Amino acid sequence: MGSVLALSSGPGHQNWPFSTDRPPSRWDAHPAHWDSPPRWERRDGRLPNPGSFHSLHRSCKDVFPQQIEGVKMIVNKTLSSFFKISHALHLSAVSPSYYRFHVEHLQSDDYSKDKDAPALIGEMDSSGSLNAHALLNLTERVRARTVFQTQQSQFVTWQFETEYRGNDFTAAVTVANPDVLRESVILVAHFLQSVTSELVLGGELVYHRGRAEEGGILTLAGQYSRPNWVATLNAGKGGAHASYYHRANKQIQVGVEFEASTRTQETTTSFGYQMELPEANMVFRGMINSRCIIGGILEKRLTPLPATLIMGAFVNHRGDKLQVGLGINVG
């Protein structure tokens, strides 16, 4: 989920990719294994578990290229079967440059769907900001997650999430930034139900209470899936988010997103695609949206070296802006 404070904000691409804000941490959202349907999903004709609410648009979003600007280098190192670290250095002329240290302590138990599921995650950058996650599988069906984030010496996020996965439904409750002295809290409830093997319906309720204001936002969600495509819609008081994902073949995937925000009174339509070239060890992702932004990312595996070269460029024709990036991921 990352920070639950962003749940009631506008569409995620409104200021992307030409925002001066620092890009989020690579684990600022749920890890893929956290959102995926559990391994005990029924295969006997009964309705499957719908997975997590946060993963409804994941198939489409994974097709779009991620912003890259300046020069970035990431070095990953596996110290043991339970311990991984990484170093990230980002040099930029647009946003502040930084160094980031990332560490993961992995778990391996009977309830983990992934033998490399992170249990404890920590990250600190050169400004002194700290992010810490704890992901715990309490039982086969119950999982808990705790998040703490600081901006230098200031606490900005502390949230606690519990999720229960039934045979054909998922329910989750999150408590974010509870403060007794300021009498403020954010509560988020999610529920997803598999109606048929293809159709999933559910909703999200965000409630915020503070000294100066109090309110809630209800969002309804639905997803229809077929073997080669997925259509998803979220709609509520805060706006609407619709996406369509289609896998044309083993090499080509496409996605279309429509996002509308009642807060900013803006709408954005985006088209993205991904092309894989296994023979060349290359993956290309491109996008174009209604705000006249065109971008692309090329990832090249430098075989036999354990490294991936990343090159990207984004052009905002309406704002006459250009961002170019180069990165390398080692390990």
Side-chain angles (χ1 to χ4, degrees):
M1 176 184 294
S3 174
V4 75
L5 299 175
L7 286 177
S8 58
S9 61
H13 289 171
Q14 292 294 334
N15 296 320
W16 180 87
F18 291 92
S19 172
T20 57
D21 297 333
R22 178 180 300 183
S25 165
R26 62 187 176 92
W27 51 271
D28 196 38
H30 279 160
H33 70 82
W34 179 270
D35 292 329
S36 303
R39 64 179 180 182
W40 41 264
E41 176 181 319
R42 295 184 179 274
R43 306 292 183 180
D44 55 4
R46 301 183 184 181
L47 296 179
N49 181 273
S52 172
F53 189 91
H54 316 289
S55 65
L56 287 176
H57 297 275
R58 180 182 291 273
S59 297
C60 182
K61 287 186 175 295
D62 287 346
V63 173
F64 286 79
Q66 298 298 313
Q67 177 186 3
I68 180 172
E69 186 276 326
V71 179
K72 188 172 185 178
M73 181 177 183
I74 300 176
V75 179
N76 304 292
K77 178 66 175 179
T78 300
L79 301 181
S80 69
S81 58
F82 295 94
F83 201 61
K84 295 181 179 180
I85 64 172
S86 69
H87 305 268
L89 178 63
H90 183 210
L91 303 178
S92 171
V94 177
S95 59
S97 302
Y98 64 88
Y99 163 78
R100 179 179 289 160
F101 176 72
H102 179 96
V103 59
E104 295 182 4
H105 180 271
L106 310 179
Q107 67 180 1
S108 179
D109 55 45
D110 294 336
Y111 304 132
S112 298
K113 296 162 295 307
D114 189 333
K115 289 301 180 181
D116 291 331
L120 299 174
I121 306 176
E123 193 171 81
M124 176 173 284
D125 62 23
S126 53
S127 68
S129 299
L130 173 68
N131 296 321
H133 287 200
L135 311 177
L136 303 176
N137 293 282
L138 302 179
T139 69
E140 185 181 14
R141 298 178 182 269
V142 180
R143 300 184 297 176
R145 183 173 186 255
T146 304
V147 179
F148 292 95
Q149 296 180 338
T150 67
Q151 186 67 37
Q152 296 180 354
S153 61
Q154 299 291 328
F155 270 98
V156 293
T157 301
W158 54 98
Q159 67 184 49
F160 312 91
E161 177 182 355
T162 302
E163 181 183 80
Y164 179 83
R165 295 198 174 190
N167 293 334
D168 58 2
F169 72 91
T170 299
V173 177
T174 301
V175 180
N177 292 16
D179 193 325
V180 178
L181 298 180
R182 297 182 180 180
E183 300 179 356
S184 64
V185 68
I186 298 176
L187 299 176
V188 183
H190 293 148
F191 183 80
L192 284 180
Q193 173 70 56
S194 294
V195 180
T196 68
S197 58
E198 294 88 11
L199 180 62
V200 174
L201 297 177
E204 172 190 72
L205 177 62
V206 179
Y207 170 78
H208 170 70
R209 177 190 175 100
R211 289 181 177 178
E213 58 181 358
E214 179 180 9
I217 298 178
L218 175 63
T219 302
L220 301 180
Q223 183 180 77
Y224 190 82
S225 305
R226 297 296 294 172
N228 293 331
W229 58 270
V230 180
T232 308
L233 173 64
N234 291 19
K237 182 180 179 181
H241 182 190
S243 68
Y244 175 79
Y245 163 82
H246 188 94
R247 174 179 282 275
N249 51 49
K250 293 182 179 180
Q251 286 77 39
I252 301 177
Q253 305 173 56
V254 297
V256 180
E257 274 193 311
F258 171 80
E259 297 174 295
S261 172
T262 57
R263 180 177 60 87
T264 62
Q265 300 295 311
E266 293 182 354
T267 61
T268 302
T269 302
S270 305
F271 171 79
Y273 65 96
Q274 174 179 309
M275 180 182 296
E276 300 181 23
L277 302 174
E279 297 82 2
N281 296 317
M282 292 172 50
V283 177
F284 179 81
R285 295 181 177 91
M287 62 85 64
I288 182 173
N289 66 18
S290 57
R291 301 176 63 218
C292 299
I293 296 178
I294 301 176
I297 293 289
L298 177 65
E299 300 180 11
K300 167 67 175 178
R301 186 71 179 178
L302 303 179
T303 307
L305 300 176
T308 301
L309 179 65
I310 304 173
M311 297 178 291
F314 294 86
V315 180
N316 185 339
H317 289 280
R318 183 177 299 176
D320 195 22
K321 296 180 181 179
L322 171 67
Q323 286 188 0
V324 179
L326 175 66
I328 185 169
N329 195 324
V330 182

Coordinates of all heavy atoms in Angstrom, one line a residue, residues 13-20 67 266 268 287-296 313-324:
H13 N -0.9 9.4 -12.1 CA -0.1 9.9 -13.2 C -0.3 11.4 -13.4 O 0.3 11.9 -14.4 CB -0.4 9.1 -14.5 CG 0.1 7.7 -14.4 ND1 -0.3 6.8 -15.4 CD2 0.8 7.0 -13.6 CE1 0.3 5.6 -15.2 NE2 0.9 5.7 -14.0
Q14 N -1.0 12.1 -12.6 CA -1.3 13.5 -12.9 C 0.0 14.3 -13.0 O 0.1 15.2 -13.8 CB -2.2 14.0 -11.8 CG -3.6 13.5 -11.8 CD -4.4 13.8 -13.1 OE1 -4.1 14.8 -13.7 NE2 -5.3 13.0 -13.5
N15 N 0.9 14.1 -12.1 CA 2.2 14.9 -12.1 C 3.4 14.0 -12.6 O 4.5 14.4 -12.3 CB 2.4 15.4 -10.7 CG 1.4 16.3 -10.2 OD1 0.9 17.1 -11.0 ND2 1.0 16.2 -9.0
W16 N 3.1 12.9 -13.2 CA 4.1 12.0 -13.6 C 4.3 12.1 -15.1 O 3.3 12.2 -15.8 CB 3.8 10.6 -13.2 CG 4.8 9.6 -13.5 CD1 5.9 9.2 -12.8 CD2 4.8 8.8 -14.7 NE1 6.6 8.2 -13.5 CE2 5.9 8.0 -14.7 CE3 4.0 8.7 -15.9 CZ2 6.3 7.1 -15.7 CZ3 4.3 7.8 -16.9 CH2 5.4 7.0 -16.8
P17 N 5.5 12.0 -15.7 CA 6.7 11.8 -15.0 C 7.5 13.0 -14.8 O 8.8 13.0 -14.6 CB 7.5 10.8 -16.0 CG 7.0 11.3 -17.3 CD 5.6 11.8 -17.1
F18 N 7.0 14.2 -14.9 CA 7.7 15.5 -14.8 C 7.5 16.1 -13.4 O 7.2 17.3 -13.3 CB 7.3 16.4 -15.9 CG 7.8 15.9 -17.2 CD1 7.1 15.1 -18.1 CD2 9.1 16.2 -17.7 CE1 7.5 14.6 -19.3 CE2 9.6 15.7 -18.9 CZ 8.8 14.9 -19.7
S19 N 7.5 15.4 -12.4 CA 7.4 15.9 -11.0 C 8.8 16.1 -10.5 O 9.7 15.3 -10.7 CB 6.6 14.9 -10.1 OG 6.7 15.3 -8.8
T20 N 8.9 17.1 -9.7 CA 10.2 17.4 -9.0 C 10.4 16.6 -7.7 O 11.4 16.6 -7.1 CB 10.4 18.9 -8.7 OG1 9.3 19.3 -7.8 CG2 10.4 19.7 -9.9
Q67 N 9.6 6.0 -14.3 CA 10.4 7.2 -14.6 C 11.9 6.9 -14.3 O 12.2 6.3 -13.3 CB 9.9 8.3 -13.7 CG 10.7 9.6 -13.9 CD 10.3 10.7 -12.9 OE1 9.4 10.5 -12.1 NE2 10.9 11.8 -13.0
E266 N -9.2 17.0 -13.0 CA -8.4 16.6 -14.2 C -8.7 15.2 -14.6 O -9.0 14.3 -13.7 CB -6.9 16.8 -13.9 CG -6.5 18.2 -13.7 CD -5.0 18.3 -13.4 OE1 -4.3 17.3 -13.3 OE2 -4.5 19.5 -13.4
T268 N -7.0 12.0 -17.2 CA -5.8 11.6 -18.0 C -6.1 10.2 -18.6 O -6.6 9.3 -17.9 CB -4.6 11.5 -17.1 OG1 -4.3 12.8 -16.5 CG2 -3.4 11.1 -18.0
M287 N 5.0 4.5 -23.5 CA 3.8 5.1 -23.1 C 3.5 6.4 -23.8 O 4.5 7.1 -24.2 CB 3.7 5.3 -21.6 CG 4.7 6.2 -21.0 SD 4.3 8.0 -21.0 CE 2.9 8.0 -20.0
I288 N 2.2 6.8 -23.9 CA 1.8 8.1 -24.4 C 0.5 8.4 -23.7 O -0.3 7.5 -23.5 CB 1.7 8.1 -25.9 CG1 1.2 9.5 -26.4 CG2 0.7 7.0 -26.4 CD1 1.2 9.7 -27.9
N289 N 0.3 9.6 -23.3 CA -1.0 10.0 -22.6 C -1.6 11.2 -23.2 O -1.0 11.9 -24.1 CB -0.8 10.1 -21.1 CG 0.1 11.2 -20.7 OD1 0.3 12.2 -21.5 ND2 0.6 11.2 -19.5
S290 N -2.8 11.6 -22.7 CA -3.5 12.7 -23.2 C -2.9 14.1 -22.8 O -3.4 15.1 -23.3 CB -5.0 12.6 -22.7 OG -5.0 12.6 -21.3
R291 N -1.9 14.1 -22.0 CA -1.2 15.3 -21.6 C 0.0 15.5 -22.5 O 0.9 16.3 -22.1 CB -0.8 15.2 -20.1 CG -2.0 15.0 -19.2 CD -1.5 14.9 -17.7 NE -0.9 16.1 -17.3 CZ 0.2 16.1 -16.5 NH1 0.7 15.0 -16.1 NH2 0.7 17.3 -16.1
C292 N 0.1 14.8 -23.6 CA 1.2 15.0 -24.6 C 2.5 14.6 -24.0 O 3.5 15.2 -24.3 CB 1.2 16.4 -25.1 SG -0.3 16.9 -26.0
I293 N 2.5 13.5 -23.2 CA 3.8 13.0 -22.6 C 4.0 11.7 -23.3 O 3.2 10.8 -23.3 CB 3.7 12.8 -21.1 CG1 3.5 14.2 -20.4 CG2 4.9 12.1 -20.6 CD1 3.4 14.1 -18.9
I294 N 5.2 11.5 -23.8 CA 5.7 10.3 -24.5 C 6.9 9.9 -23.8 O 7.8 10.7 -23.6 CB 5.9 10.5 -26.0 CG1 4.7 11.0 -26.7 CG2 6.4 9.2 -26.7 CD1 4.9 11.4 -28.2
G295 N 7.0 8.6 -23.5 CA 8.2 8.1 -22.8 C 8.5 6.6 -23.2 O 7.6 5.9 -23.6
G296 N 9.7 6.2 -22.9 CA 10.1 4.8 -23.1 C 11.3 4.4 -22.3 O 12.1 5.3 -22.0
A313 N 13.8 7.8 -21.7 CA 13.6 9.2 -22.1 C 12.1 9.5 -22.0 O 11.3 8.7 -22.4 CB 14.2 9.6 -23.4
F314 N 11.8 10.7 -21.5 CA 10.4 11.2 -21.5 C 10.3 12.6 -22.0 O 11.1 13.4 -21.6 CB 9.8 11.1 -20.0 CG 9.8 9.7 -19.5 CD1 10.8 9.1 -18.9 CD2 8.6 9.0 -19.6 CE1 10.8 7.8 -18.4 CE2 8.5 7.7 -19.1 CZ 9.6 7.1 -18.5
V315 N 9.3 12.8 -22.9 CA 9.2 14.1 -23.5 C 7.8 14.7 -23.2 O 6.8 14.0 -23.4 CB 9.4 14.1 -25.0 CG1 9.2 15.5 -25.6 CG2 10.8 13.5 -25.3
N316 N 7.7 15.9 -22.6 CA 6.4 16.6 -22.4 C 6.3 17.6 -23.5 O 6.9 18.7 -23.4 CB 6.4 17.2 -21.0 CG 5.0 17.8 -20.7 OD1 4.3 18.1 -21.6 ND2 4.8 18.0 -19.4
H317 N 5.6 17.3 -24.6 CA 5.5 18.2 -25.7 C 4.7 19.5 -25.3 O 5.0 20.6 -25.8 CB 4.8 17.6 -26.9 CG 5.6 16.5 -27.5 ND1 6.6 16.8 -28.4 CD2 5.7 15.2 -27.4 CE1 7.2 15.7 -28.8 NE2 6.7 14.7 -28.2
R318 N 3.7 19.4 -24.5 CA 2.9 20.6 -24.1 C 3.8 21.5 -23.2 O 3.7 22.7 -23.3 CB 1.7 20.1 -23.3 CG 0.7 21.2 -22.9 CD -0.5 20.7 -22.3 NE -1.2 19.8 -23.2 CZ -2.3 19.1 -22.8 NH1 -2.8 19.2 -21.5 NH2 -3.0 18.4 -23.6
G319 N 4.6 20.9 -22.3 CA 5.4 21.8 -21.4 C 6.8 22.0 -22.0 O 7.6 22.7 -21.3
D320 N 7.1 21.4 -23.1 CA 8.4 21.6 -23.7 C 9.5 21.2 -22.8 O 10.5 22.0 -22.5 CB 8.6 23.0 -24.2 CG 9.8 23.2 -25.2 OD1 10.2 22.2 -25.7 OD2 10.3 24.3 -25.3
K321 N 9.4 20.0 -22.2 CA 10.4 19.5 -21.2 C 10.9 18.1 -21.7 O 10.1 17.3 -22.3 CB 9.8 19.4 -19.8 CG 9.3 20.7 -19.2 CD 8.7 20.5 -17.8 CE 8.3 21.8 -17.2 NZ 7.7 21.6 -15.9
L322 N 12.1 17.8 -21.3 CA 12.7 16.5 -21.7 C 13.5 16.0 -20.5 O 14.2 16.7 -19.8 CB 13.7 16.7 -22.8 CG 14.6 15.5 -23.2 CD1 13.8 14.3 -23.7 CD2 15.7 15.9 -24.2
Q323 N 13.3 14.7 -20.2 CA 14.0 14.0 -19.2 C 14.7 12.8 -19.8 O 14.0 12.0 -20.4 CB 13.1 13.6 -18.0 CG 12.7 14.8 -17.1 CD 12.0 14.3 -15.9 OE1 11.8 13.2 -15.6 NE2 11.6 15.3 -15.0
V324 N 16.0 12.6 -19.5 CA 16.7 11.5 -20.0 C 17.4 10.8 -18.8 O 17.9 11.5 -18.0 CB 17.7 11.9 -21.1 CG1 18.5 10.7 -21.6 CG2 17.1 12.6 -22.2

